[in-house]
Amino acid sequence: MENIDLKIANLPDNAAAEVTADAYNGASRFTIRIRPKDGALRLRGLKLCFSRDSAGVVGCWYPKIRDHGFRPTWAQKYTSEYASGAPVISFYAADDSNRLTAALSDSIHRWVFSAGANENTGGLDFIATLDDFSGDAYGVELLVDTSNRPYYDAVRLAADWWKSFGAPHIPPAAYDPVFSTWYVYHHDVNEARMMRCCAQMKEFGFGTLFIDAGWNAPDDSPGALHAGDWTPNPEKFPDMKRFVDYAHAHGIKVVLWAAPGVAGYESRVARRYAGKFLYDLKAINCWILDPRYPEIRANVCRDLCDLVRQTGIDGLKLDFIDSITGADCPLDAGRDFVSVGDALRDMLETIHRQLTAINPEFLIEFRQRYTGAEITKNCNLLRSGDCPQDSLTNRMNTVDLRLHTNAAVHADMVQFLPGEDAEISALQIVNILFSTPQISVDLERLDARQAAMLRFWIRFMSEKRALLQHGHFAAHRCDANFTSVAAETAAEKLVALYAERVCSLCGKTQYIVNAFSEAPIIVCADARRFRVRVTDCAGQMVYAAERQINGCEAIAIPLCGMAEFAALN
């Protein structure tokens, strides 16, 4: 345990702080308790600070930020609060080793991290600022890891530490491949089309159907115009329970989209709660409800529970939660919370508690950016932020989520064009190998090779779920957008090469996925014999042989294809 000189700045005169430290799995854990000497406690701008040397630091990782450079403290700003971000930051060296990873136990209140390079001293400063807190007392733990372990293991240590404060139950179905209607159909969904989807889905290996926005609205409804009325559109789904029973008979679970803080301009909810909005979200034709009104929280929860009971659906995709924001206001005759965040927390916890009382295996999806440990107690699926056809962003987002969260990580819906080369379509798949795939393409319009490619990868990702999603996870070269990513169990290892051409072989069965280039891959081993099988992007065998590898040798793996190496000695 390194000697960290933790300082607390901007402590009010009427408050006293007590700090204790202990070791935690090779890291240092500080427990900070602040109490008022008299009167009420109000903390504004409280800072937790320490400094250390910056030797070897080349970059910084924190959730959902694409800029991974090593920035000065005056330029490095990252915020975490209940419905946005997560309170963890990690500085790493060129070889992926950790230089400093720090995490807070408080993922409710707003913290601002301005950690980075101190241009005056040349050192590394950690500065975390608590925006505002009022109450009888305040407590927070700070985990500081300066060990030389890989940065991804240091971040995972923090995520596992958060589990001790509570974590969601993850049903096995949370990892089943998903067919989503959004990018391919948008609002054009109905019972007949979804019945056809169910038959096709089983052929491709999907287990869950996500019916996104549109099930409760006319096809020509722009944005969220009718959101807030969580009843099926009778012209599209005259009997949603009948359709759900049909899907269940085909082995398909059904999840519907909903947005618990949204009131579309033409919804009944908007008329019911006129004047009880946080703001007008014109971009999607709706108002954002103020959850500080107890009747809004109660009715939103009731409406969602009624939908579940009446239809028998297996889950809800809860969207736009990070849009429920606003300034504090004094209590009045209508509101029973001062803080929007506190009211939102109460609403989400009630929704989760009541939905899982109906069905303990109920699926609840949240979306990046709201990924902190406290808010995600109320979900079991976490999806990448929207990035249609952007394989790089989908890779980065799912890797970020795998590093620091404890839910089942889902990719954003994969979209590719019918008729394009299967290898190009497959790039969307191989960039999300370490997450649960969500696919949103017209299955009826795929050509034979695209269809074979999709079936192959969905089947492989399902069969290798224990390896890909539950094995030890290593994301290499964060500074270069993760040039290779690996998952490993006691028996197997898979490495996806996104910008690397060299890969060392281990003594286990090892898979290498060529996710970026037509050029040969260089494999390295120490005089070992392997049974080698190489398949293309659609799983078709292109090479099979026993091969002695001593040193480094080139092997041709087609773009988005895979080589399997089974050690024979």
Side-chain angles (χ1 to χ4, degrees), residues 24-25 27 61 63 86-90 101-105 107 141-145 149-168 170 371-374 376-377 382 399-409 473:
Y24 182 88
N25 293 335
W61 175 90
V88 59
I89 192 166
S90 182
T101 296
L104 293 168
S105 61
S107 56
E141 293 182 18
L142 171 66
L143 190 68
V144 179
D145 187 350
R149 72 185 96 203
Y151 83 93
Y152 43 80
D153 286 344
V155 175
R156 175 43 52 186
L157 176 67
D160 290 342
W161 173 59
W162 286 330
K163 278 186 181 180
S164 65
F165 308 123
I170 314 296
T371 65
E374 192 66 30
T376 55
K377 291 176 183 177
L382 269 176
V399 168
D400 282 348
L401 290 173
R402 282 293 309 275
L403 287 172
H404 81 282
T405 67
N406 291 302
V409 172
F473 185 68

Side-chain angles (χ1 to χ4, degrees), residues 138-354:
Y138 179 73
V140 66
E141 293 182 18
L142 171 66
L143 190 68
V144 179
D145 187 350
T146 58
S147 72
N148 200 43
R149 72 185 96 203
Y151 83 93
Y152 43 80
D153 286 344
V155 175
R156 175 43 52 186
L157 176 67
D160 290 342
W161 173 59
W162 286 330
K163 278 186 181 180
S164 65
F165 308 123
H169 166 63
I170 314 296
Y175 299 98
D176 288 344
V178 169
F179 180 84
S180 169
T181 63
W182 182 240
Y183 289 143
V184 62
Y185 298 129
H186 287 275
H187 283 184
D188 189 12
V189 293
N190 55 58
E191 182 179 67
R193 171 167 274 169
M194 294 301 97
M195 284 182 171
R196 291 200 307 275
C197 274
C198 286
Q200 296 163 341
M201 285 171 59
K202 292 306 291 184
E203 176 194 348
F204 281 85
F206 295 101
T208 305
L209 170 64
F210 275 37
I211 305 179
D212 212 297
W215 61 270
N216 64 325
D219 286 345
D220 60 353
S221 172
L225 197 64
H226 293 85
D229 296 338
W230 306 122
T231 54
N233 182 291
E235 295 182 2
K236 294 181 174 183
F237 293 94
D239 188 341
M240 181 66 84
K241 177 67 164 60
R242 177 180 64 195
F243 166 71
V244 172
D245 289 344
Y246 175 88
H248 288 170
H250 285 73
I252 301 293
K253 295 186 182 297
V254 179
V255 173
L256 298 181
W257 174 88
V262 168
Y265 292 160
E266 295 189 9
S267 67
R268 297 185 300 275
V269 167
R271 294 189 292 274
R272 183 191 309 168
Y273 298 128
K276 297 180 178 180
F277 307 134
L278 291 168
Y279 61 93
D280 184 351
L281 187 54
K282 294 183 174 64
I284 59 171
N285 302 310
C286 69
W287 287 282
I288 300 299
L289 296 168
D290 187 343
R292 290 174 293 192
Y293 291 95
E295 67 272 23
I296 288 179
R297 300 195 305 277
N299 290 340
V300 166
C301 185
R302 181 204 63 208
D303 292 347
L304 294 177
C305 289
D306 286 349
L307 172 67
V308 173
R309 292 190 185 97
Q310 292 164 10
T311 63
I313 58 173
D314 305 282
L316 285 169
K317 170 180 179 171
L318 299 183
D319 209 352
F320 291 103
I321 290 172
D322 49 351
S323 297
I324 306 173
T325 61
D328 290 355
C329 71
L331 294 177
D332 55 26
R335 299 179 181 92
D336 61 352
F337 278 95
V338 170
S339 162
V340 173
D342 290 344
L344 172 62
R345 182 184 174 197
D346 180 83
M347 181 171 73
L348 293 179
E349 288 178 350
T350 303
I351 290 171
H352 176 264
R353 183 171 60 252
Q354 295 193 12

Side-chain angles (χ1 to χ4, degrees), residues 493-506:
K493 181 175 183 178
L494 183 141
V495 181
L497 302 177
Y498 298 112
E500 298 280 356
R501 289 189 60 215
V502 179
C503 185
S504 295
L505 299 177
C506 63

Side-chain angles (χ1 to χ4, degrees), residues 29-49:
R29 178 174 54 186
F30 297 89
T31 301
I32 302 152
R33 304 193 184 282
I34 301 175
R35 296 180 175 84
K37 299 174 183 176
D38 55 69
L41 182 65
R42 181 68 182 271
L43 303 175
R44 279 184 168 174
L46 180 84
K47 293 182 185 294
L48 304 180
C49 317

Side-chain angles (χ1 to χ4, degrees), residues 319-496:
D319 209 352
F320 291 103
I321 290 172
D322 49 351
S323 297
I324 306 173
T325 61
D328 290 355
C329 71
L331 294 177
D332 55 26
R335 299 179 181 92
D336 61 352
F337 278 95
V338 170
S339 162
V340 173
D342 290 344
L344 172 62
R345 182 184 174 197
D346 180 83
M347 181 171 73
L348 293 179
E349 288 178 350
T350 303
I351 290 171
H352 176 264
R353 183 171 60 252
Q354 295 193 12
L355 290 177
T356 53
I358 298 171
N359 176 7
E361 303 297 290
F362 196 76
L363 302 173
I364 302 175
E365 182 198 86
F366 285 179
R367 173 174 52 82
Q368 213 172 11
R369 299 178 302 157
Y370 32 102
T371 65
E374 192 66 30
I375 194 170
T376 55
K377 291 176 183 177
N378 303 302
C379 74
N380 38 45
L381 281 64
L382 269 176
R383 179 176 58 85
S384 157
D386 297 0
C387 52
Q389 299 189 67
D390 185 347
S391 59
L392 171 61
T393 298
N394 221 358
R395 180 213 312 167
M396 294 178 64
N397 286 354
T398 52
V399 168
D400 282 348
L401 290 173
R402 282 293 309 275
L403 287 172
H404 81 282
T405 67
N406 291 302
V409 172
H410 282 227
D412 187 42
M413 296 79 75
V414 164
Q415 179 186 28
F416 52 79
L417 300 177
E420 71 184 8
D421 290 346
E423 288 80 4
I424 301 303
S425 300
L427 282 170
Q428 300 289 336
I429 309 293
V430 296
N431 274 278
I432 61 161
L433 282 178
F434 304 91
S435 63
T436 296
Q438 292 199 16
I439 309 295
S440 189
V441 299
D442 191 336
L443 299 176
E444 295 178 314
R445 294 180 60 203
L446 300 181
D447 62 36
R449 187 162 165 77
Q450 280 183 311
M453 178 276 296
L454 185 57
R455 279 193 295 268
F456 168 69
W457 283 113
I458 293 297
R459 183 178 69 252
F460 181 83
M461 292 171 74
S462 296
E463 291 175 352
K464 297 299 179 182
R465 181 181 302 171
L467 169 64
L468 294 172
Q469 299 202 51
H470 303 296
H472 177 259
F473 185 68
H476 301 291
R477 291 296 308 277
C478 177
D479 59 314
N481 297 335
F482 310 119
T483 59
S484 70
V485 181
E488 187 170 5
T489 65
E492 295 183 307
K493 181 175 183 178
L494 183 141
V495 181

